[in-house]
Amino acid sequence: MIGRNSLYGPLDPAPDAGYAAPPPRKGFFTDTSVCIGCKACEVACKEWNDVPENLFQMLGTSYDNSHSLNANQWRHVAFIERPGRSTAPDQPAVDLGMPTVGAPPSDVPDEAKPDFQWLMSSDVCKHCTHAACLDVCPTGSLFRSEFGTVVVQDDICNGCGYCVAACPYGVIDRRKGPEGDPKVGIAQKCTLCYDRLTANQRPACAQACPTESILYGDVEELRERANERVAALHEQGVMDARLYGNDPEDGVGGTGAFFLLLDEPEVYGLPPDPVVTTKDLPRMFKRAGMAGTAMLVGAALSFLGRPR
């Protein structure tokens, strides 16, 4: 029996989309606590999906030179400088399970060093259980795959931009430039490497990640691993560790790509309480229909009541 969210309906999107015997839902678990900001996932995504290169745009505002998710950036590794959170002198550093060679020698005393921490986070399309982009697409360009993911078909998209406005995460974007690119104006985003999935291969970003910060697999198994990882970090004293996007009772029914964060979602530029933007459409249409019917009845009564 397919589970249901009390507000929005089925929790397994593939059967809800009409697939009779789909494989287990696939997705990403991104563990930001072991992300080193190498951007190998960005490069692999661009190479495999033929996404235009824009890795060396010096912004002048950050060490992050790819800025944000957009039509030319389906994976984005954010560099977030969090001030005032460095380890206290009397508190040992927490072992996050990463290989290390230690800090280089320095004559600067610890109390004179900057008090900040880097947070690295590889962001991507969330592949929502209840995807507003699917609801508003007038051409059927966006479709739900048998793996539960949301995929864009370039040759069907008419560039209307409805999906851009509907996405509660601001993920989808219409491609701008370079000139001559046939996909300019077309909605673009991560497809979870749908073509690789159909060939039983891992998505390019997960394949390239050197620290296994990006884990790919069955969503339910990934959720179990994510809960175990959070529990392990809490035991090590990392009490800020939390999961984002893994709750089936949230405003989008949970996501197929979810994250382990080390701070509030807002610090990473993520909405704290995302809600599928089309959830009120049925009620709006119902009320609009009732209002239209009332107007017609009123007009008819007015016509019938006129003196002859």
Side-chain angles (χ1 to χ4, degrees):
M1 180 177 178
I2 300 174
R4 298 183 68 86
N5 177 293
S6 58
L7 294 177
Y8 307 115
L11 294 179
D12 193 348
D16 187 45
Y19 294 97
R25 184 180 183 184
K26 303 297 184 182
F28 288 127
F29 165 46
T30 302
D31 184 351
T32 69
S33 71
V34 294
C35 177
I36 58 175
C38 67
K39 292 184 178 283
C41 56
E42 290 187 7
V43 175
C45 175
K46 286 178 174 292
E47 288 184 346
W48 181 261
N49 295 292
D50 195 23
V51 178
E53 297 179 5
N54 64 333
L55 290 178
F56 300 103
Q57 297 179 354
M58 305 309 294
L59 304 175
T61 57
S62 171
Y63 289 106
D64 172 17
N65 55 21
S66 51
H67 191 264
S68 63
L69 287 176
N70 55 66
N72 294 344
Q73 195 70 43
W74 297 2
R75 265 278 180 188
H76 170 241
V77 180
F79 292 4
I80 302 164
E81 186 175 327
R82 184 171 68 167
R85 295 294 188 91
S86 64
T87 305
D90 58 344
Q91 181 180 353
V94 174
D95 181 11
L96 297 177
M98 292 291 297
T100 179
V101 295
S106 173
D107 295 330
V108 179
D110 290 341
E111 59 271 14
K113 293 179 181 178
D115 187 17
F116 75 92
Q117 177 187 13
W118 281 111
L119 299 178
M120 307 297 186
S121 172
S122 182
D123 199 6
V124 72
C125 171
K126 312 306 181 289
H127 295 277
C128 305
T129 299
H130 308 296
C133 57
L134 289 175
D135 294 336
V136 301
C137 180
T139 66
S141 169
L142 286 117
F143 74 95
R144 180 78 68 179
S145 78
E146 65 270 31
F147 303 104
T149 58
V150 179
V151 181
V152 181
Q153 301 173 94
D154 300 332
D155 57 338
I156 300 178
C157 178
N158 65 1
C160 68
Y162 292 168
C163 57
V164 177
C167 178
Y169 299 97
V171 167
I172 309 180
D173 185 27
R174 287 178 292 182
R175 180 165 294 176
K176 307 174 184 65
E179 293 185 8
D181 187 340
K183 296 181 182 179
V184 170
I186 300 301
Q188 298 280 277
K189 72 171 193 67
C190 162
T191 66
L192 217 135
C193 286
Y194 179 59
D195 53 343
R196 292 177 66 92
L197 266 58
T198 57
N200 199 30
Q201 296 180 335
R202 287 196 296 170
C205 58
Q207 184 76 29
C209 181
T211 65
E212 295 189 345
S213 169
I214 302 171
L215 296 177
Y216 160 77
D218 296 349
V219 168
E220 291 305 318
E221 294 181 4
L222 292 176
R223 284 177 175 163
E224 293 180 6
R225 295 185 64 173
N227 289 326
E228 292 173 358
R229 176 61 176 162
V230 170
L233 289 176
H234 286 176
E235 290 180 0
Q236 296 179 50
V238 187
M239 305 311 296
D240 286 337
R242 71 204 69 194
L243 295 178
Y244 179 84
N246 71 315
D247 182 7
E249 292 294 326
D250 67 13
V252 296
T255 59
F258 51 97
F259 305 79
L260 186 153
L261 305 180
L262 297 178
D263 208 326
E264 299 289 343
E266 298 93 322
V267 174
Y268 294 84
L270 297 168
D273 298 302
V275 176
V276 59
T277 53
T278 55
K279 74 181 184 69
D280 291 324
L281 284 181
R283 183 173 58 182
M284 292 168 62
F285 281 123
K286 181 178 179 180
R287 291 184 176 180
M290 293 173 61
T293 301
M295 290 178 64
L296 290 174
V297 171
L301 291 176
S302 175
F303 178 79
L304 293 174
R306 293 174 59 186
R308 297 176 181 270

